[in-house]
């Protein structure tokens, strides 16, 4: 268990999805390039493990604010990602986290919302 299990306010159906994961980082401007290289190295690992539509964004009003976003097909797929982190994956994650300033990055899990779905239950913050 490299990552903590996502916190929810109630049960989430395993087939619910897609799941959007947002991770907010604070990075010193002088570390921008090295951080982006490390994050892009982590991205291919996320894509290999079933994520899609991965992207990193930087805030136009805050030069130290970055947001990593990726989608996973279902809640079950996301939970599986938590359970299959290799030592190499953990080291890649640690390289990214070494650039983050302050407390742990903020992580949000958001579920696609459609009529007939159970109410969203995963807008909680989790540390990766």
């Amino acid at each position: 268990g490299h990552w903590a299990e996502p916190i929810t306010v109630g049960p989430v159906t395993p087939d619910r999805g897609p799941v959007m994961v947002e991770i907010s980082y604070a990075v010193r401007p002088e570390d921008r390039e090295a951080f982006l290289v490390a994050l892009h190295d982590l991205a291919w690992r996320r894509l290999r493990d079933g994520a899609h539509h991965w992207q990193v964004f930087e805030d136009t009003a805050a030069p130290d604010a970055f947001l990593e976003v990726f989608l996973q097909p279902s809640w079950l797929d996301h939970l599986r990602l938590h359970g299959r982190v290799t030592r190499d994956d953990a080291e890649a994650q640690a390289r990214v986290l070494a650039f983050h300033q302050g407390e742990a990055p903020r992580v949000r899990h958001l579920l696609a919302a459609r009529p007939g779905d159970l109410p969203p239950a995963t807008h909680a913050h989790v540390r990766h």
Side-chain angles (χ1 to χ4, degrees), residues 33-43 45 92-93 95-96 99:
E33 190 65 23
F35 166 73
L36 290 173
V37 167
L39 192 57
H40 278 264
D41 179 56
L42 185 60
R45 299 161 196 281
Q93 179 76 46
R95 284 190 294 276
V96 169
F99 292 104

Side-chain angles (χ1 to χ4, degrees), residues 1-5 42 45-46 48-49 78-94 128:
H2 173 69
W3 291 337
E5 288 298 312
L42 185 60
R45 299 161 196 281
R46 297 205 196 283
R48 172 201 67 200
D49 291 338
H78 183 67
L79 293 180
R80 286 182 180 149
L81 177 67
H82 279 252
R84 63 176 175 243
V85 177
T86 67
R87 176 173 286 149
D88 190 51
D89 293 343
E91 290 170 0
Q93 179 76 46
H128 281 251

Side-chain angles (χ1 to χ4, degrees), residues 21-91:
V21 180
E22 295 181 345
I23 306 172
S24 298
Y25 300 97
V27 177
R28 293 186 312 235
E30 61 267 24
D31 292 333
R32 177 186 182 277
E33 190 65 23
F35 166 73
L36 290 173
V37 167
L39 192 57
H40 278 264
D41 179 56
L42 185 60
W44 77 261
R45 299 161 196 281
R46 297 205 196 283
L47 294 167
R48 172 201 67 200
D49 291 338
H52 54 93
H53 301 292
W54 181 93
Q55 190 65 57
V56 60
F57 299 91
E58 55 190 326
D59 191 327
T60 61
D64 66 338
F66 293 85
L67 181 67
E68 178 188 11
V69 177
F70 58 92
L71 296 174
Q72 294 203 274
S74 71
W75 185 247
L76 182 60
D77 289 317
H78 183 67
L79 293 180
R80 286 182 180 149
L81 177 67
H82 279 252
R84 63 176 175 243
V85 177
T86 67
R87 176 173 286 149
D88 190 51
D89 293 343
E91 290 170 0

Side-chain angles (χ1 to χ4, degrees), residues 21-24 78 104-109 123-128:
V21 180
E22 295 181 345
I23 306 172
S24 298
H78 183 67
R106 186 184 73 158
V107 179
R108 293 182 357 137
H109 296 83
H123 293 245
H125 303 277
V126 175
R127 294 179 183 178
H128 281 251

